[in-house]
Amino acid sequence: MHIDLTGSTALITGGSMGIGRSLAGKMAEEGVNVAICARNKNKLDDSAADINSKGYKGKVIAVPLDTTDWSSVKSGVDNIISDFGHIDILINGAAAPGGLVRNEIEQAEDTALLQDLDTKVIGYFRMVKACIPHMRNRKFGRIINIGGMTGRGTMALSGMRNAALSHFTKTLADIAGPNGITVNIIHPGVIETPHIHELYEMRAKKENKTPEEIEQEYIDRTPIKRLLQTDDINSLIIFLSSSLAGGITGESIGLDGGISRYISL
């Protein structure tokens, strides 16, 4: 099985760090031209420069944009089209990691919850609205939304954003399918990124444990007995972005090493 994405163009929101930053490097290595997008221009520029210094086949450009602002999204996408000529792959990943509202409802702020929804749910919607006309013109597109396992359980009130994204993904798959565009959502579990160590620290303080003990608890609960790495999600996204995955659309895919024990029939 050979996946060849050479010459494709991808747009990755949340591309300056974490999963998005790692994915941008992997896609560039595969020959994809990548636009990484986020609000912080300095971080974007540093990430793009670092990836381009590796000498990969694909080129990476930094395009600052704010997914909560339609004019910013529209101008950012227009700039990418001007540079690359087309957008084949949209990876929606811009969000506050873990969500802004956990389960302490008395302390929860409605403004924080609205910000979560505006950035991730409506933000993904804005990105799709801006990109999909270009995909329709070429009769090809891959849209991959990054959700989260909190949408499949009761871990956090902010999980409602991921549940909403599953509905958006399935509905959009129906809308876009006739134009050769597939739409899927990935729900990552515990993946080795700087953010996950912040989560360990937060839980450790609450439970009077060490961050190392919290990390080991996750490992012990996971059937594969290891933490997931960014390459695990990179590989799945690259496959879904390829022509080999043309028959997969509207799917909600958990990537958590089995820790959720979720059953979907």
Side-chain angles (χ1 to χ4, degrees):
M1 186 180 296
H2 178 64
I3 295 176
D4 185 5
L5 296 177
T6 303
S8 297
T9 296
L11 188 168
I12 303 174
T13 68
S16 64
M17 62 180 69
I19 291 171
R21 163 67 176 77
S22 173
L23 176 63
K26 188 63 178 177
M27 283 195 150
E29 187 178 1
E30 293 288 327
V32 179
N33 292 318
V34 184
I36 53 173
C37 302
R39 288 175 296 183
N40 190 312
K41 184 179 185 302
N42 290 335
K43 285 184 179 178
L44 280 175
D45 288 341
D46 289 346
S47 294
D50 181 55
I51 297 169
N52 286 326
S53 72
K54 310 294 185 187
Y56 295 142
K57 292 183 291 182
K59 174 186 175 184
V60 177
I61 61 172
V63 180
L65 64 77
D66 181 352
T67 63
T68 67
D69 182 337
W70 168 245
S71 63
S72 175
V73 167
K74 182 67 167 60
S75 64
V77 169
D78 287 346
N79 289 338
I80 295 164
I81 293 295
S82 178
D83 279 356
F84 287 148
H86 54 92
I87 295 173
D88 304 298
I89 304 160
L90 170 63
I91 312 297
N92 277 316
L100 298 175
V101 181
R102 306 305 291 178
N103 282 348
E104 297 81 11
I105 195 163
E106 293 88 353
Q107 287 78 45
E109 294 288 342
D110 58 347
T111 53
L113 194 57
L114 285 168
Q115 184 181 338
D116 253 346
L117 296 171
D118 192 21
T119 303
K120 196 165 188 180
V121 181
I122 312 304
Y124 286 19
F125 164 81
R126 293 184 186 101
M127 293 305 305
V128 169
K129 182 178 178 180
C131 291
I132 207 165
H134 302 287
M135 294 179 174
R136 279 177 163 161
N137 286 341
R138 290 168 58 82
K139 301 295 183 184
F140 178 87
R142 297 287 184 265
I143 298 172
I144 300 166
N145 297 320
I146 307 300
M149 295 308 296
T150 56
R152 290 181 168 179
T154 57
M155 294 84 83
L157 285 165
S158 285
M160 68 175 69
R161 62 186 187 165
N162 297 319
L165 283 173
S166 293
H167 178 276
F168 175 55
T169 297
K170 190 69 173 175
T171 303
L172 186 60
D174 283 355
I175 295 169
N179 300 112
I181 303 166
T182 65
V183 191
N184 295 287
I185 185 167
I186 298 172
H187 298 297
V190 181
I191 293 182
E192 182 67 36
T193 63
H195 159 67
I196 206 64
H197 291 278
E198 295 172 5
L199 184 148
Y200 297 155
E201 294 278 356
M202 183 175 65
R203 274 198 55 197
K205 287 179 182 177
K206 285 184 178 180
E207 300 175 23
N208 197 27
K209 297 177 181 177
T210 67
E212 292 74 20
E213 288 174 322
I214 299 297
E215 180 178 25
Q216 191 59 49
E217 285 180 11
Y218 281 115
I219 294 171
D220 291 341
R221 287 169 49 205
T222 303
I224 63 173
K225 301 305 177 190
R226 67 171 177 86
L227 294 179
L228 292 163
Q229 303 298 310
T230 52
D231 270 351
D232 290 306
I233 192 167
N234 291 346
S235 298
L236 176 57
I237 290 174
I238 286 169
F239 171 70
L240 290 175
S241 299
S242 74
S243 59
L244 296 176
I248 303 173
T249 193
E251 290 301 320
S252 181
I253 304 169
L255 185 74
D256 66 351
I259 195 171
S260 66
R261 274 73 176 185
Y262 176 81
I263 298 172
S264 176
L265 300 177

